[in-house]
Amino acid sequence: MARILAIDYGTKRTGIAVTDPLQIIASGLTCVETSTLLSFLRDYVQKESVEAIVVGLPKTVRGEFSESYSKIETFVEKLRKELPDMKVIFHDERFTTKMAMQSMISAGATKKQRNNKAGVVDMVSAAIILQSYLDSRQIAADRGL
């Protein structure tokens, strides 16, 4: 079975997560400078079997697209041209940054570690987006949808 990859797109850096080959568990993979994201993804899918890329869909509390949506939409257009055979799926990312911070606090991360500019929060957010996608897919399957 191929992996599923997820991204938490940011203007400066992007968090990336990936499933295990059985698509059961999402784990943070890395965080890359957004300017190198397309080349990173191209290289990764050449080395690993990837079935789909899940992109965090930024929405407001009201369910409307946030300001960053247009940048993500532009990126996804480029991604689809770069990897035309790759399935690209949007998945709601509301509250993932807060959830990532809370997960890090629960895991005992210090304030300094949570404020780390290396993008740990972005990577954890990508893992939360991906696990949420996996869970929603399982719920749909359980309901016969």
Side-chain angles (χ1 to χ4, degrees):
M1 206 178 224
R3 296 175 187 270
I4 299 173
L5 192 131
I7 61 174
D8 180 29
Y9 186 89
T11 55
K12 294 182 182 179
R13 63 183 182 266
T14 297
I16 301 172
V18 67
T19 65
D20 60 297
L22 297 176
Q23 299 180 3
I24 297 170
I25 298 173
S27 301
L29 178 64
T30 191
C31 186
V32 299
E33 296 297 318
T34 300
S35 61
T36 66
L37 180 57
L38 277 175
S39 63
F40 175 87
L41 294 173
R42 183 180 50 248
D43 292 345
Y44 189 84
V45 301
Q46 286 177 351
K47 295 174 189 168
E48 296 286 339
S49 180
V50 176
E51 175 180 308
I53 298 175
V54 176
V55 179
L57 182 61
K59 290 186 175 183
T60 65
V61 177
R62 293 181 173 176
E64 301 162 350
F65 294 126
S66 72
E67 294 175 19
S68 59
Y69 174 73
S70 63
K71 291 177 183 168
I72 293 171
E73 185 179 40
T74 300
F75 164 75
V76 168
E77 287 173 12
K78 291 177 186 175
L79 177 61
R80 286 183 170 142
K81 286 178 184 172
E82 188 72 32
L83 301 171
D85 297 328
M86 182 61 61
K87 185 175 175 182
V88 179
I89 304 158
F90 282 109
H91 189 75
D92 192 347
E93 71 170 27
R94 280 180 280 188
F95 310 114
T96 55
T97 301
K98 285 184 180 184
M99 292 167 67
M101 286 293 245
Q102 190 57 49
S103 295
M104 293 175 70
I105 290 168
S106 296
T110 65
K111 187 173 183 176
K112 183 178 180 180
Q113 290 168 324
R114 292 190 310 268
N115 290 331
N116 180 358
K117 299 300 181 197
V120 174
V121 172
D122 301 315
M123 185 176 62
V124 173
S125 292
I128 291 170
I129 291 166
L130 185 51
Q131 191 63 53
S132 173
Y133 169 75
L134 294 173
D135 293 346
S136 68
R137 199 171 69 161
Q138 184 60 50
I139 290 168
D142 290 348
R143 292 182 180 166
L145 301 176

